[in-house]
Amino acid sequence: SNPVEIDLTADTAVNEAILVTDRYSRPLTYHIRLNGGGKTVSRADGFTDSIIHVAQSSTLYLENITFDGALTDDTADDSIIRIAATGRSGMPANNDSHDNYVVIGKDAVLQNNHSSQTGGAVCLEAGTLILDGGTIKDNIADKSGGGVYVSSGDEGTNDNADVFYPAQFIMNSGTISGNKAVRDNNYGGGVDVETISKDEYENGTNPSGFIMNGGVIENNAAYDGGGISMSNYDNVQILGGTIRNNRCENSSGVNRALGVTGILCNFGAS
């Protein structure tokens, strides 16, 4: 169905999460295009949860809008955007309700968030995230993934205890810069990918991972993997774009943290 068009007409401070999902995890999906008109959405005083929560195979397009985590010495409890298999109530989603789709488009900015968890700006646990002209900058994660954290979400409830939902981040254009995951043993200042097991890697059953077709990942920092970190058997393909000037305390800009990781570097990457 066609997305619902929402135009923001003023700067806004929110005191609860914007839900692009059904509040009670019923099998309902939502398709929203949010055009900010250059305006800013931030957290109200005392609100520390994610600003946007996407679940239940919902779709969100962002353009010409800034989400500001209002970075202070106090940390938030979550990322700016959480893309999950479950609804906000925490009730389990249907097994077929995990194909979320989020696009950070032209002139959309996620900035200045300090999360006590993984994913300073975005925590992707189920579905597809596309960076297509937007900017993710100046965020901090106390755990891994200063800019973006990608992990196949474990439902972990009832009969679905070992269900993992595919999670894929595609970067076509845009910038990931100035993000940090700098505590000891935290990975991926720009992007941290922790998605699939050895069995899934060998039999090709999980398409999760990170594909970089273009854009710039620069000036990020982490204990390891200042630009990009991947672990175990993750699928990371660098097909284009630029990775430069990232800093880490323990290795180079692109880090293979653990296990056997496949990296495809094609013409056009630098």
Side-chain angles (χ1 to χ4, degrees):
S1 61
N2 293 328
V4 175
E5 302 275 351
I6 299 176
D7 294 323
L8 196 65
T9 59
D11 293 342
T12 302
V14 298
N15 56 18
E16 62 180 353
I18 300 168
L19 304 180
V20 188
T21 179
D22 182 66
R23 184 179 295 274
Y24 302 105
S25 292
R26 295 170 296 191
L28 301 175
T29 61
Y30 294 84
H31 306 285
I32 294 175
R33 181 183 297 274
L34 181 55
N35 187 328
K39 302 300 189 295
T40 297
V41 178
S42 59
R43 288 188 180 90
D45 290 344
F47 177 59
T48 62
D49 210 339
S50 58
I51 296 178
I52 298 180
H53 187 96
V54 182
Q56 297 293 103
S57 293
S58 294
T59 300
L60 175 66
Y61 298 87
L62 300 175
E63 55 188 24
N64 198 20
I65 187 170
T66 296
F67 288 90
D68 194 307
L71 179 66
T72 65
D73 291 337
D74 297 325
T75 60
D77 292 331
D78 212 339
S79 310
I80 292 176
I81 301 177
R82 177 170 291 273
I83 308 167
T86 57
R88 197 65 192 94
S89 67
M91 296 294 290
N94 292 341
N95 283 350
D96 293 332
S97 297
H98 58 267
D99 194 18
N100 307 298
Y101 190 84
V102 176
V103 178
I104 303 172
K106 183 179 179 182
D107 297 325
V109 180
L110 309 181
Q111 66 181 23
N112 298 336
N113 192 57
H114 187 171
S115 172
S116 63
Q117 305 299 317
T118 52
V122 182
C123 182
L124 172 62
E125 297 176 329
T128 301
L129 170 69
I130 296 180
L131 183 61
D132 199 7
T135 299
I136 297 172
K137 66 176 184 177
D138 301 333
N139 301 284
I140 298 173
D142 281 354
K143 298 182 180 179
S144 295
V148 179
Y149 177 76
V150 184
S151 176
S152 298
D154 182 354
E155 183 56 52
T157 55
N158 299 328
D159 295 330
N160 298 322
D162 294 319
V163 175
F164 288 81
Y165 298 109
Q168 186 175 68
F169 175 31
I170 300 172
M171 183 174 179
N172 291 327
S173 61
T175 302
I176 298 175
S177 67
N179 304 286
K180 299 178 181 179
V182 293
R183 292 194 175 184
D184 286 352
N185 299 316
N186 287 341
Y187 300 96
V191 180
D192 183 43
V193 184
E194 300 182 17
T195 53
I196 64 178
S197 67
K198 178 181 178 181
D199 288 343
E200 290 172 320
Y201 174 82
E202 291 177 345
N203 61 33
T205 57
N206 191 334
S208 298
F210 173 47
I211 299 173
M212 185 176 181
N213 295 315
V216 179
I217 298 176
E218 64 180 356
N219 299 323
N220 303 284
Y223 173 79
D224 217 338
I228 304 168
S229 176
M230 60 219 76
S231 60
N232 297 321
Y233 296 81
D234 295 318
N235 175 28
V236 174
Q237 301 179 49
I238 311 300
L239 305 177
T242 301
I243 302 170
R244 64 189 176 200
N245 300 331
N246 299 287
R247 178 178 59 84
C248 52
E249 299 177 3
N250 201 39
S251 76
S252 61
V254 176
N255 171 55
R256 185 178 71 188
L258 301 167
V260 180
T261 302
I263 305 174
L264 175 61
C265 293
N266 219 344
F267 180 78
S270 62

